[in-house]
Amino acid sequence: MQLLQAERDALLKPLATVTGIVERRHTLPILSNVLIQKTGDTLTFTGTDLEIQISATQSEGFSGNDFAITVSAKKLTDILRAIPDKTVVTLEETESRLTVKAGKSRFALQTLPSADFPTLAVDTSLKATVRMAQGQLKALLGRVQYAMAHQDIRYYLNGLFLVTEGNLLKLVATDGHRLGFASAELSTSFDKNEVILPRKTILELYKLLQDVDDEVAVDIAGNQVKFSFGNVVIHTKVVDGKFPDYNRVIPQNNDKLLSIERTLLLAALQRAAILSNEKFRGVRLVLTEGVIKILCNNNEQEEAQEEVEVAYDGAPLDIGFNIQYLLDVLTNLAVEQLDFAFGDVNSSVLVTIPDNAHFKYIVMPMRI
């Protein structure tokens, strides 16, 4: 029975949107599949890993009957990508197999019953709906997401802390060694709501958001958050845990202040990093009047030294950091100048953007 006829891109674009979260090898075989549904004039693709669910809709470029079917997300994606652009694709179903026809090509794929597909139960206890431009949320995420922990035993650090408070949306990420904070002013005021979003959700969301002024709606519920933008809807469970009090780690009394051109420091650190220890990734920053010296060495007794002129007239300081933590912030900010506030050799450094209270980045020192 013929289900659908469509141009390749009418299938591939929404399919590619949802396949990022689909697990290729899972104890539940159906979780490797994508749910494809046609209802009236809407074609919907849904993928889930039981924690996150992404749906993408298509409303043009196809014709056919209403149906629901599940098929391997990876295999169907690979087939469609291998078919030439603008090719008309036909989907047919016979005895729990989906046949994909394109020109003189035919592919027969196994299917599983759509009724068995485990869609997330939607939490309707809505606490707040935040609306902002997609580009604004994407930029906010870009400023902090790299500081999230990865497979940390403290599972609540493997994600991003999202807070609404008054007219502010705050995002915080930390792996215990460094912390990123970014906030934005909203047009509406909210009660205080706090949720921890899983790392995988944040990475997919950042990938799918466009740098445009079109709106994204963030619905915060009791144990779930929903993001709606364009033709995409993401439902995600929240991480059950208590996020640490990030305000306690923000240095208040660092008195050694310097301002530096971001790209200048980034280039110097990238060069020095070539000879840093591959395991510990240490870098020494030696501050003297008007100059910051960058020193790296490794187990082979190789050394790199860079000097960058800076506006600094404080006391001398010789302090060590993980060079990757510094490179991360310099790479992910698109600003010209950055301010660094140092304390003593045992104090974290505070990185901020001049005249901008909406961003903070803190890195703990390391002994070298």
Side-chain angles (χ1 to χ4, degrees):
M1 180 181 78
Q2 182 171 314
L3 302 177
L4 190 74
Q5 201 162 52
E7 269 203 11
R8 184 196 78 147
D9 277 6
L11 300 175
L12 183 56
K13 282 184 178 173
L15 177 61
T17 299
V18 307
T19 50
I21 61 157
V22 176
E23 302 285 353
R24 294 181 187 178
R25 291 185 182 83
H26 206 287
T27 47
L28 279 177
I30 200 161
L31 290 179
S32 300
N33 283 13
V34 61
L35 172 64
I36 308 172
Q37 296 168 292
K38 182 182 176 295
T39 311
D41 295 332
T42 304
L43 185 63
T44 307
F45 293 75
T46 304
T48 184
D49 68 355
L50 299 181
E51 301 292 319
I52 316 163
Q53 176 178 299
I54 303 182
S55 296
T57 54
Q58 183 74 17
S59 54
E60 56 186 25
F62 60 87
S63 60
N65 305 307
D66 286 5
F67 69 92
I69 198 168
T70 86
V71 67
S72 166
K74 182 179 187 308
K75 288 173 185 170
L76 183 57
T77 303
D78 288 349
I79 287 167
L80 292 173
R81 282 195 173 129
I83 290 169
D85 195 11
K86 294 192 166 40
T87 304
V88 173
V89 178
T90 304
L91 302 184
E92 295 178 357
E93 184 185 24
T94 45
E95 296 178 358
S96 73
R97 286 166 86 81
L98 177 72
T99 302
V100 182
K101 295 181 179 178
K104 295 184 178 178
S105 305
R106 290 168 64 93
F107 307 87
L109 297 171
Q110 278 195 330
T111 63
L112 290 169
S114 58
D116 295 346
F117 193 82
T119 52
L120 281 187
V122 176
D123 186 345
T124 54
S125 59
L126 195 63
K127 292 181 175 179
T129 298
V130 176
R131 299 180 189 279
M132 63 198 308
Q134 281 190 51
Q136 187 183 16
L137 181 56
K138 187 179 179 78
L140 273 182
L141 291 171
R143 288 187 167 185
V144 298
Q145 61 158 359
Y146 53 87
M148 292 187 293
H150 184 46
Q151 296 181 333
D152 196 296
I153 193 165
R154 296 162 295 179
Y155 60 92
Y156 49 84
L157 298 184
N158 301 319
L160 185 133
F161 192 44
L162 183 148
V163 182
T164 62
E165 190 172 13
N167 70 333
L168 285 179
L169 174 70
K170 304 174 185 177
L171 303 181
V172 188
T174 181
D175 60 8
H177 303 288
R178 36 86 177 266
L179 180 144
F181 167 92
S183 64
E185 291 183 11
L186 304 168
S187 53
T188 313
S189 198
F190 296 95
D191 293 336
K192 189 169 187 178
N193 294 293
E194 300 179 336
V195 289
I196 305 172
L197 299 172
R199 176 187 173 86
K200 190 173 176 183
T201 300
I202 297 304
L203 296 179
E204 281 303 310
L205 179 62
Y206 184 70
K207 192 168 77 180
L208 295 174
L209 285 168
Q210 303 290 313
D211 192 10
V212 293
D213 291 334
D214 296 353
E215 187 179 83
V216 53
V218 185
D219 294 327
I220 301 169
N223 61 4
Q224 215 173 71
V225 177
K226 172 183 163 190
F227 298 88
S228 312
F229 52 97
N231 67 334
V232 180
V233 176
I234 301 176
H235 285 94
T236 177
K237 292 182 179 177
V238 301
V239 178
D240 186 20
K242 178 126 179 78
F243 203 80
D245 181 2
Y246 60 91
N247 286 305
R248 284 177 52 198
V249 304
I250 299 173
Q252 303 296 330
N253 302 310
N254 286 5
D255 57 353
K256 298 177 179 66
L257 312 176
L258 68 87
S259 184
I260 192 165
E261 194 180 317
R262 180 185 66 89
T263 52
L264 205 63
L265 180 59
L266 174 59
L269 284 170
Q270 284 172 331
R271 291 191 295 269
I274 296 166
L275 297 185
S276 67
N277 183 298
E278 287 183 14
K279 186 177 180 185
F280 300 109
R281 302 287 283 157
V283 61
R284 274 174 61 209
L285 302 183
V286 182
L287 293 177
T288 51
E289 189 172 339
V291 173
I292 182 168
K293 210 180 266 187
I294 298 163
L295 303 165
C296 281
N297 57 39
N298 58 30
N299 292 343
E300 285 80 49
Q301 309 301 314
E302 296 168 331
E303 296 178 359
Q305 180 175 316
E306 293 276 342
E307 280 191 19
V308 181
E309 291 184 8
V310 290
Y312 180 71
D313 57 5
L317 179 68
D318 187 338
I319 188 168
F321 294 101
N322 180 316
I323 198 167
Q324 191 57 52
Y325 296 164
L326 299 177
L327 288 170
D328 283 344
V329 68
L330 294 168
T331 306
N332 285 283
L333 291 182
V335 295
E336 289 185 11
Q337 292 284 126
L338 284 174
D339 290 341
F340 284 71
F342 295 92
D344 57 26
V345 292
N346 300 311
S347 301
S348 299
V349 62
L350 172 63
V351 184
T352 53
I353 299 168
D355 305 316
N356 183 338
H358 291 293
F359 174 77
K360 294 179 178 71
Y361 183 68
I362 296 98
V363 187
M364 289 173 64
M366 67 185 284
R367 280 206 173 90
I368 296 176

